[in-house]
PDB file of all heavy atoms in Angstrom:
ATOM      1  N   GLY Y  78      -5.671  20.977  11.732  1.00 38.00           N
ATOM      2  CA  GLY Y  78      -6.214  22.124  12.451  1.00 38.00           C
ATOM      3  C   GLY Y  78      -5.363  22.440  13.637  1.00 38.00           C
ATOM      4  O   GLY Y  78      -5.823  23.007  14.645  1.00 38.00           O
ATOM      5  N   GLU Y  79      -4.041  22.206  13.611  1.00 51.00           N
ATOM      6  CA  GLU Y  79      -3.184  22.450  14.714  1.00 51.00           C
ATOM      7  C   GLU Y  79      -2.620  23.856  14.704  1.00 51.00           C
ATOM      8  O   GLU Y  79      -1.709  24.192  15.499  1.00 51.00           O
ATOM      9  CB  GLU Y  79      -2.030  21.457  14.695  1.00 51.00           C
ATOM     10  CG  GLU Y  79      -2.495  19.978  14.805  1.00 51.00           C
ATOM     11  CD  GLU Y  79      -1.362  19.074  14.606  1.00 51.00           C
ATOM     12  OE1 GLU Y  79      -0.270  19.307  15.116  1.00 51.00           O
ATOM     13  OE2 GLU Y  79      -1.599  18.009  13.981  1.00 51.00           O
ATOM     14  N   GLY Y  80      -3.065  24.706  13.846  1.00 60.00           N
ATOM     15  CA  GLY Y  80      -2.543  26.035  13.762  1.00 60.00           C
ATOM     16  C   GLY Y  80      -1.415  26.163  12.813  1.00 60.00           C
ATOM     17  O   GLY Y  80      -0.785  27.199  12.658  1.00 60.00           O
ATOM     18  N   GLY Y  81      -1.108  25.125  12.092  1.00 80.00           N
ATOM     19  CA  GLY Y  81      -0.075  25.190  11.060  1.00 80.00           C
ATOM     20  C   GLY Y  81       1.308  24.928  11.540  1.00 80.00           C
ATOM     21  O   GLY Y  81       1.588  24.935  12.718  1.00 80.00           O
ATOM     22  N   ALA Y  82       2.183  24.694  10.578  1.00 87.00           N
ATOM     23  CA  ALA Y  82       3.585  24.463  10.916  1.00 87.00           C
ATOM     24  C   ALA Y  82       4.195  25.609  11.688  1.00 87.00           C
ATOM     25  O   ALA Y  82       5.095  25.451  12.537  1.00 87.00           O
ATOM     26  CB  ALA Y  82       4.412  24.199   9.653  1.00 87.00           C
ATOM     27  N   THR Y  83       3.709  26.835  11.438  1.00 86.00           N
ATOM     28  CA  THR Y  83       4.297  28.007  12.009  1.00 86.00           C
ATOM     29  C   THR Y  83       3.600  28.431  13.302  1.00 86.00           C
ATOM     30  O   THR Y  83       4.017  29.426  13.916  1.00 86.00           O
ATOM     31  CB  THR Y  83       4.220  29.186  11.024  1.00 86.00           C
ATOM     32  OG1 THR Y  83       2.825  29.532  10.828  1.00 86.00           O
ATOM     33  CG2 THR Y  83       4.845  28.806   9.700  1.00 86.00           C
ATOM     34  N   GLY Y  84       2.559  27.749  13.645  1.00 79.00           N
ATOM     35  CA  GLY Y  84       1.836  28.155  14.894  1.00 79.00           C
ATOM     36  C   GLY Y  84       1.118  29.507  14.741  1.00 79.00           C
ATOM     37  O   GLY Y  84       0.940  30.235  15.683  1.00 79.00           O
ATOM     38  N   ASN Y  85       0.787  29.835  13.459  1.00 74.00           N
ATOM     39  CA  ASN Y  85       0.159  31.133  13.145  1.00 74.00           C
ATOM     40  C   ASN Y  85       1.061  32.314  13.515  1.00 74.00           C
ATOM     41  O   ASN Y  85       0.572  33.294  14.043  1.00 74.00           O
ATOM     42  CB  ASN Y  85      -1.190  31.260  13.893  1.00 74.00           C
ATOM     43  CG  ASN Y  85      -2.206  30.264  13.381  1.00 74.00           C
ATOM     44  OD1 ASN Y  85      -2.234  29.924  12.201  1.00 74.00           O
ATOM     45  ND2 ASN Y  85      -3.078  29.810  14.246  1.00 74.00           N
ATOM     46  N   SER Y  86       2.344  32.120  13.285  1.00 81.00           N
ATOM     47  CA  SER Y  86       3.274  33.205  13.482  1.00 81.00           C
ATOM     48  C   SER Y  86       3.171  34.253  12.451  1.00 81.00           C
ATOM     49  O   SER Y  86       2.495  34.088  11.447  1.00 81.00           O
ATOM     50  CB  SER Y  86       4.732  32.651  13.517  1.00 81.00           C
ATOM     51  OG  SER Y  86       4.963  31.824  14.596  1.00 81.00           O
ATOM     52  N   PRO Y  87       3.785  35.475  12.665  1.00 83.00           N
ATOM     53  CA  PRO Y  87       3.734  36.504  11.675  1.00 83.00           C
ATOM     54  C   PRO Y  87       4.403  36.110  10.359  1.00 83.00           C
ATOM     55  O   PRO Y  87       5.132  35.114  10.379  1.00 83.00           O
ATOM     56  CB  PRO Y  87       4.505  37.644  12.325  1.00 83.00           C
ATOM     57  CG  PRO Y  87       4.547  37.322  13.798  1.00 83.00           C
ATOM     58  CD  PRO Y  87       4.548  35.825  13.868  1.00 83.00           C
ATOM     59  N   TYR Y  88       4.204  36.897   9.321  1.00 85.00           N
ATOM     60  CA  TYR Y  88       4.859  36.608   8.057  1.00 85.00           C
ATOM     61  C   TYR Y  88       4.905  37.900   7.288  1.00 85.00           C
ATOM     62  O   TYR Y  88       4.195  38.856   7.527  1.00 85.00           O
ATOM     63  CB  TYR Y  88       4.105  35.563   7.286  1.00 85.00           C
ATOM     64  CG  TYR Y  88       2.659  35.847   7.099  1.00 85.00           C
ATOM     65  CD1 TYR Y  88       2.247  36.607   6.022  1.00 85.00           C
ATOM     66  CD2 TYR Y  88       1.674  35.353   7.979  1.00 85.00           C
ATOM     67  CE1 TYR Y  88       0.850  36.905   5.850  1.00 85.00           C
ATOM     68  CE2 TYR Y  88       0.317  35.651   7.817  1.00 85.00           C
ATOM     69  CZ  TYR Y  88      -0.091  36.425   6.687  1.00 85.00           C
ATOM     70  OH  TYR Y  88      -1.396  36.702   6.581  1.00 85.00           O
ATOM     71  N   TYR Y  89       5.881  37.925   6.307  1.00 85.00           N
ATOM     72  CA  TYR Y  89       5.980  39.142   5.471  1.00 85.00           C
ATOM     73  C   TYR Y  89       4.817  39.129   4.425  1.00 85.00           C
ATOM     74  O   TYR Y  89       4.614  38.158   3.815  1.00 85.00           O
ATOM     75  CB  TYR Y  89       7.375  39.132   4.754  1.00 85.00           C
ATOM     76  CG  TYR Y  89       8.533  39.391   5.656  1.00 85.00           C
ATOM     77  CD1 TYR Y  89       9.405  38.370   5.965  1.00 85.00           C
ATOM     78  CD2 TYR Y  89       8.705  40.632   6.212  1.00 85.00           C
ATOM     79  CE1 TYR Y  89      10.513  38.628   6.792  1.00 85.00           C
ATOM     80  CE2 TYR Y  89       9.756  40.920   7.074  1.00 85.00           C
ATOM     81  CZ  TYR Y  89      10.669  39.848   7.340  1.00 85.00           C
ATOM     82  OH  TYR Y  89      11.744  40.130   8.153  1.00 85.00           O
ATOM     83  N   THR Y  90       4.213  40.264   4.317  1.00 83.00           N
ATOM     84  CA  THR Y  90       3.131  40.364   3.320  1.00 83.00           C
ATOM     85  C   THR Y  90       3.496  41.184   2.117  1.00 83.00           C
ATOM     86  O   THR Y  90       2.709  41.572   1.353  1.00 83.00           O
ATOM     87  CB  THR Y  90       1.865  40.976   3.949  1.00 83.00           C
ATOM     88  OG1 THR Y  90       2.228  42.262   4.484  1.00 83.00           O
ATOM     89  CG2 THR Y  90       1.371  40.104   5.069  1.00 83.00           C
ATOM     90  N   ASP Y  91       4.873  41.482   1.939  1.00 83.00           N
ATOM     91  CA  ASP Y  91       5.293  42.121   0.733  1.00 83.00           C
ATOM     92  C   ASP Y  91       4.866  41.295  -0.481  1.00 83.00           C
ATOM     93  O   ASP Y  91       4.997  40.046  -0.493  1.00 83.00           O
ATOM     94  CB  ASP Y  91       6.793  42.276   0.759  1.00 83.00           C
ATOM     95  CG  ASP Y  91       7.294  43.207   1.850  1.00 83.00           C
ATOM     96  OD1 ASP Y  91       6.694  43.190   2.946  1.00 83.00           O
ATOM     97  OD2 ASP Y  91       8.267  43.926   1.606  1.00 83.00           O
ATOM     98  N   LEU Y  92       4.448  41.988  -1.526  1.00 85.00           N
ATOM     99  CA  LEU Y  92       4.033  41.283  -2.712  1.00 85.00           C
ATOM    100  C   LEU Y  92       5.122  41.471  -3.795  1.00 85.00           C
ATOM    101  O   LEU Y  92       5.846  42.438  -3.786  1.00 85.00           O
ATOM    102  CB  LEU Y  92       2.687  41.840  -3.228  1.00 85.00           C
ATOM    103  CG  LEU Y  92       1.508  41.518  -2.330  1.00 85.00           C
ATOM    104  CD1 LEU Y  92       0.299  42.250  -2.764  1.00 85.00           C
ATOM    105  CD2 LEU Y  92       1.218  40.021  -2.226  1.00 85.00           C
ATOM    106  N   PRO Y  93       5.146  40.557  -4.760  1.00 87.00           N
ATOM    107  CA  PRO Y  93       6.107  40.663  -5.868  1.00 87.00           C
ATOM    108  C   PRO Y  93       5.781  41.865  -6.748  1.00 87.00           C
ATOM    109  O   PRO Y  93       4.655  42.358  -6.756  1.00 87.00           O
ATOM    110  CB  PRO Y  93       6.002  39.338  -6.585  1.00 87.00           C
ATOM    111  CG  PRO Y  93       4.631  38.853  -6.288  1.00 87.00           C
ATOM    112  CD  PRO Y  93       4.338  39.297  -4.883  1.00 87.00           C
ATOM    113  N   PRO Y  94       6.745  42.345  -7.512  1.00 82.00           N
ATOM    114  CA  PRO Y  94       6.472  43.455  -8.432  1.00 82.00           C
ATOM    115  C   PRO Y  94       5.402  43.017  -9.469  1.00 82.00           C
ATOM    116  O   PRO Y  94       5.294  41.851  -9.802  1.00 82.00           O
ATOM    117  CB  PRO Y  94       7.829  43.717  -9.118  1.00 82.00           C
ATOM    118  CG  PRO Y  94       8.800  43.085  -8.201  1.00 82.00           C
ATOM    119  CD  PRO Y  94       8.159  41.921  -7.560  1.00 82.00           C
ATOM    120  N   LEU Y  95       4.689  43.944  -9.932  1.00 73.00           N
ATOM    121  CA  LEU Y  95       3.760  43.667 -11.014  1.00 73.00           C
ATOM    122  C   LEU Y  95       4.459  43.282 -12.327  1.00 73.00           C
ATOM    123  O   LEU Y  95       3.906  42.527 -13.097  1.00 73.00           O
ATOM    124  CB  LEU Y  95       2.798  44.874 -11.257  1.00 73.00           C
ATOM    125  CG  LEU Y  95       1.906  45.238 -10.067  1.00 73.00           C
ATOM    126  CD1 LEU Y  95       1.064  46.454 -10.451  1.00 73.00           C
ATOM    127  CD2 LEU Y  95       1.013  44.064  -9.730  1.00 73.00           C
ATOM    128  N   LYS Y  96       5.644  43.820 -12.522  1.00 68.00           N
ATOM    129  CA  LYS Y  96       6.413  43.498 -13.683  1.00 68.00           C
ATOM    130  C   LYS Y  96       7.007  42.105 -13.538  1.00 68.00           C
ATOM    131  O   LYS Y  96       7.530  41.734 -12.456  1.00 68.00           O
ATOM    132  CB  LYS Y  96       7.538  44.526 -13.856  1.00 68.00           C
ATOM    133  CG  LYS Y  96       8.408  44.225 -15.107  1.00 68.00           C
ATOM    134  CD  LYS Y  96       9.532  45.260 -15.217  1.00 68.00           C
ATOM    135  CE  LYS Y  96      10.459  44.941 -16.361  1.00 68.00           C
ATOM    136  NZ  LYS Y  96      11.588  45.878 -16.450  1.00 68.00           N
ATOM    137  N   SER Y  97       6.922  41.292 -14.577  1.00 64.00           N
ATOM    138  CA  SER Y  97       7.407  39.947 -14.538  1.00 64.00           C
ATOM    139  C   SER Y  97       8.909  39.954 -14.324  1.00 64.00           C
ATOM    140  O   SER Y  97       9.637  40.856 -14.807  1.00 64.00           O
ATOM    141  CB  SER Y  97       7.062  39.165 -15.771  1.00 64.00           C
ATOM    142  OG  SER Y  97       5.698  39.057 -15.955  1.00 64.00           O
ATOM    143  N   PRO Y  98       9.453  38.944 -13.657  1.00 66.00           N
ATOM    144  CA  PRO Y  98      10.894  38.881 -13.424  1.00 66.00           C
ATOM    145  C   PRO Y  98      11.608  38.619 -14.748  1.00 66.00           C
ATOM    146  O   PRO Y  98      11.049  38.059 -15.701  1.00 66.00           O
ATOM    147  CB  PRO Y  98      11.079  37.716 -12.477  1.00 66.00           C
ATOM    148  CG  PRO Y  98       9.882  36.846 -12.725  1.00 66.00           C
ATOM    149  CD  PRO Y  98       8.766  37.799 -13.061  1.00 66.00           C
ATOM    150  N   ASN Y  99      12.857  38.986 -14.790  1.00 56.00           N
ATOM    151  CA  ASN Y  99      13.684  38.691 -15.988  1.00 56.00           C
ATOM    152  C   ASN Y  99      14.335  37.345 -15.776  1.00 56.00           C
ATOM    153  O   ASN Y  99      15.121  37.137 -14.891  1.00 56.00           O
ATOM    154  CB  ASN Y  99      14.794  39.791 -16.066  1.00 56.00           C
ATOM    155  CG  ASN Y  99      15.593  39.653 -17.378  1.00 56.00           C
ATOM    156  OD1 ASN Y  99      15.588  38.632 -18.000  1.00 56.00           O
ATOM    157  ND2 ASN Y  99      16.284  40.741 -17.757  1.00 56.00           N
ATOM    158  N   PRO Y 100      14.014  36.379 -16.644  1.00 48.00           N
ATOM    159  CA  PRO Y 100      14.560  35.016 -16.485  1.00 48.00           C
ATOM    160  C   PRO Y 100      15.982  34.892 -16.939  1.00 48.00           C
ATOM    161  O   PRO Y 100      16.494  33.768 -16.937  1.00 48.00           O
ATOM    162  CB  PRO Y 100      13.558  34.160 -17.356  1.00 48.00           C
ATOM    163  CG  PRO Y 100      13.143  35.101 -18.452  1.00 48.00           C
ATOM    164  CD  PRO Y 100      13.063  36.455 -17.789  1.00 48.00           C
ATOM    165  N   SER Y 101      16.574  35.954 -17.392  1.00 42.00           N
ATOM    166  CA  SER Y 101      17.954  35.870 -17.879  1.00 42.00           C
ATOM    167  C   SER Y 101      18.915  35.605 -16.722  1.00 42.00           C
ATOM    168  O   SER Y 101      18.552  35.802 -15.576  1.00 42.00           O
ATOM    169  CB  SER Y 101      18.306  37.127 -18.661  1.00 42.00           C
ATOM    170  OG  SER Y 101      18.286  38.229 -17.719  1.00 42.00           O
TER     171      SER Y 101
END
Side-chain angles (χ1 to χ4, degrees):
E79 299 173 38
T83 66
N85 294 327
S86 290
Y88 53 87
Y89 289 110
T90 57
D91 294 37
L92 293 172
L95 295 180
K96 179 181 178 182
S97 296
N99 187 340
S101 62

